[in-house]
Amino acid sequence: MTSLLLCADYVIPMTADNAVIENGAVLIDGAGRIAAVGLTDSLRRQYPDAPVRVLKDRLLMPGLINTHCHSGLLRGTAEGLPVWAWLQQYIDPMHRVLNAAEAEVASWLCYAEALLSGTTTIVDMWRFMDGSARAAQELGIRAVLVPYVAEHPEHDYFETLDSNERMISQWHGKADGRISVWVGLEHMFYAVPDAWDRATRMTHEYQVGLHTHSNESRFDVEETHRRYRMRPIEALEKFGLLGAHKVMLAHCVWLADEEIALLKAHHVSVAHNPISNMKLASGAAPVTKLLAAGIAVGLGTDGEKENNNLDMFEEMKVSSLLAKFSALDAQALDAWSICKMATIGGARALGMEREIGSLEVGKAADLIAVRTDTARMTPLLTGTFLNLHHNLVHAVQGGDVDITMVNGKICVENGQLRTAGMRELIDRANAVTPGLFARRTQWLAQNGMGVQRGEESGLYRL
């Protein structure tokens, strides 16, 4: 890989000063790291031998970081239920019949979709993740792979801590450091106490993070209180899970103030999933409170079945609107705060802020070029009426991404995937999905599981 000077109309490094560099440039060295950021004219004089690529009508910014996702093939087929009934009717039966080939096809499709819409790092909680690792390796995305672990006799169809440990040993740090493997628990309910202890020990042994869902719905809080006479974050602390090497929790919608204090005390980060939380009628996470407490918060799309796309720009807009709507405060979560949640905030949530999340010297060249010659970005103003950041949050869509680069390698160019054939990935997904649905339908028929509407029914027992 040779060095390259990318020159654009605007560069937004996403640094603390909210800088916007007009006629800016980013120098990428031969190792795929950022070597310089500044004005185009200045950098061209300083590095006269560097190959130059001029990106007219483009804005350069850090790649987006999706802190919570699930690969899958259920898009548009898991609708109209709250989260726990939704899991019983649609999701867990799918996991019972899913095979490794289908799981790998899902990851290829989802990672390609993510890259095309400007995501350079994705946290994926999924199954049979050797296939996910192969997809990440070939497509070029940076991935934090989190096996969907359940260690409970009633949930023996998920991954295990044994398979999770094998994934860490085989894949952590591979693909030039782009692949990380964390310890994953589907939910605290899906594991027995010995598994809680082992999961925590594994994070320290391998110096990796722990990722699980928590406080997603009222049912989550009520069921935890029924079982343990405490709230979910209190239970996670009591059972040692907050003592893991690094902890990031997905959702955290129904949080009490004392739970926020516990998250802060244990340096736990949160993956905020506003579209999923709205679609599944889970509620609105207290993001402004979390940020005010100094807790690292990243944005996540959640899976293709509960979103129903992986467009992080859409997630940015909805995150802003949900915060304003739920607080009846038009100033809640301003545009710069949202941009940072999707970039450097996500990096902090993962403990990777020294490597990714902003365009700064020494960091990996994970960046995107966004088109500025669209109606959605017009008018484009700087100075007193600066609106670039507002347009990025409230107007831009994933399809406006022109270039996606990870580790200095261009994965998407001219809005087209370079590292695989998109038509082939779509055809493969369409080919395997009918078999998955047929087996799930058969399993449901044999086990007599009908739709259980409403979490309050208490019919979903783990």
Side-chain angles (χ1 to χ4, degrees):
M1 184 187 297
T2 60
S3 63
L4 177 65
L5 187 64
L6 292 177
C7 305
D9 294 358
Y10 305 94
V11 175
I12 300 182
M14 222 58 76
T15 45
D17 58 357
N18 297 337
V20 175
I21 306 172
E22 291 190 63
N23 298 313
V26 178
L27 180 68
I28 300 158
D29 67 19
R33 317 294 293 188
I34 296 172
V37 181
L39 293 169
T40 293
D41 288 346
S42 175
L43 292 186
R44 292 188 79 161
R45 286 193 300 268
Q46 290 180 60
Y47 304 96
D49 297 328
V52 175
R53 180 164 180 179
V54 177
L55 303 174
K56 182 175 172 51
D57 296 322
R58 299 294 184 266
L59 174 155
L60 288 175
M61 64 180 289
L64 306 181
I65 298 172
N66 186 343
T67 57
H68 183 67
C69 184
H70 305 286
S71 291
L73 295 168
L74 302 187
R75 193 189 318 259
T77 68
E79 310 293 322
L81 289 174
V83 61
W84 286 102
W86 175 83
L87 286 167
Q88 181 185 33
Q89 177 62 20
Y90 297 124
I91 310 308
D92 283 3
M94 176 273 295
H95 281 295
R96 289 179 181 274
V97 300
L98 181 73
N99 65 41
E102 293 158 347
E104 181 167 350
V105 166
S107 288
W108 278 88
L109 185 69
C110 288
Y111 299 170
E113 180 185 355
L115 285 166
L116 284 165
S117 53
T119 292
T120 52
T121 297
I122 191 166
V123 179
D124 189 20
M125 178 178 277
W126 190 225
R127 302 279 312 285
F128 304 107
M129 294 201 83
D130 291 288
S132 304
R134 286 190 290 269
Q137 184 175 47
E138 295 301 317
L139 288 169
I141 200 166
R142 191 179 302 278
V144 179
L145 305 180
V146 186
Y148 237 140
V149 169
E151 290 276 358
H152 191 287
E154 295 179 17
H155 297 276
D156 57 0
Y157 46 92
F158 282 89
E159 302 305 297
T160 66
L161 287 173
D162 285 343
S163 64
N164 197 151
E165 188 167 22
R166 183 193 56 77
M167 276 294 301
I168 294 172
S169 298
Q170 183 172 344
W171 285 104
H172 187 65
K174 295 297 177 65
D176 297 321
R178 286 187 290 105
I179 294 176
S180 303
V181 183
W182 282 20
V183 176
L185 289 178
E186 201 290 345
H187 193 282
M188 183 178 68
F189 292 165
Y190 281 49
V192 296
D194 286 349
W196 299 335
D197 294 340
R198 182 182 171 191
T200 302
R201 292 196 308 270
M202 281 172 58
T203 67
H204 291 290
E205 180 179 353
Y206 294 103
Q207 296 290 284
V208 298
L210 170 72
H211 188 43
T212 188
H213 304 85
S214 192
N215 297 65
E216 185 172 358
S217 69
R218 284 183 297 184
F219 177 82
D220 190 348
V221 176
E222 292 164 359
E223 182 67 9
T224 306
H225 192 270
R226 186 188 72 81
R227 295 181 185 211
Y228 309 119
R229 296 295 183 264
M230 63 187 74
R231 294 182 64 88
I233 305 301
E234 294 170 333
L236 287 170
E237 182 189 45
K238 178 179 179 179
F239 300 132
L241 290 162
L242 296 190
H245 173 67
K246 166 70 185 169
V247 181
M248 184 174 70
L249 300 178
H251 300 296
C252 290
V253 174
W254 293 90
L255 287 174
D257 288 346
E258 56 268 29
E259 290 180 290
I260 293 176
L262 284 175
L263 295 178
K264 180 179 180 180
H266 289 276
H267 306 289
V268 174
S269 60
V270 172
H272 175 41
N273 305 269
I275 292 177
S276 170
N277 293 339
M278 293 171 70
K279 180 185 174 185
L280 297 176
S282 297
V287 175
T288 53
K289 278 189 175 183
L290 291 168
L291 292 173
I295 293 167
V297 180
L299 276 178
T301 59
D302 216 343
E304 40 70 59
K305 58 197 175 299
E306 56 264 57
N307 187 295
N308 293 45
N309 65 54
L310 306 184
D311 186 343
M312 280 286 289
F313 280 104
E314 183 175 88
E315 208 72 39
M316 290 163 67
K317 178 172 183 173
V318 172
S319 180
S320 171
L321 299 182
L322 179 60
K324 298 176 196 309
F325 174 77
S326 57
L328 297 179
D329 179 3
Q331 295 183 357
L333 283 188
D334 65 90
W336 280 122
S337 296
I338 296 291
C339 285
K340 288 178 178 176
M341 283 174 61
T343 55
I344 189 63
R348 292 190 184 109
L350 294 171
M352 299 172 69
E353 66 271 26
R354 294 184 179 179
E355 180 73 4
I356 58 174
S358 60
L359 303 183
E360 298 183 83
V361 173
K363 288 192 175 184
D366 289 13
L367 55 83
I368 60 176
V370 180
R371 291 180 58 191
T372 58
D373 59 347
T374 65
R376 284 185 287 277
M377 283 289 275
T378 305
L380 197 60
L381 305 170
T382 56
T384 302
F385 299 103
L386 176 71
N387 69 349
L388 288 177
H389 55 315
H390 295 297
N391 288 350
L392 284 171
V393 171
H394 292 113
V396 167
Q397 297 176 0
D400 297 329
V401 173
D402 183 58
I403 291 174
T404 301
M405 173 183 284
V406 184
N407 253 14
K409 178 182 178 181
I410 295 176
C411 303
V412 171
E413 187 171 24
N414 298 322
Q416 301 295 314
L417 188 67
R418 283 183 50 172
T419 49
M422 197 64 206
R423 182 71 256 175
E424 180 184 355
L425 300 186
I426 291 170
D427 289 345
R428 284 167 55 192
N430 283 328
V432 303
T433 300
L436 173 63
F437 276 73
R439 295 195 309 278
R440 188 184 69 169
T441 299
Q442 182 180 24
W443 188 92
L444 285 166
Q446 291 173 346
N447 289 274
M449 292 176 62
V451 176
Q452 306 297 337
R453 295 200 174 272
E455 296 167 355
E456 68 280 356
S457 67
L459 291 172
Y460 190 58
R461 288 289 177 250
L462 303 174

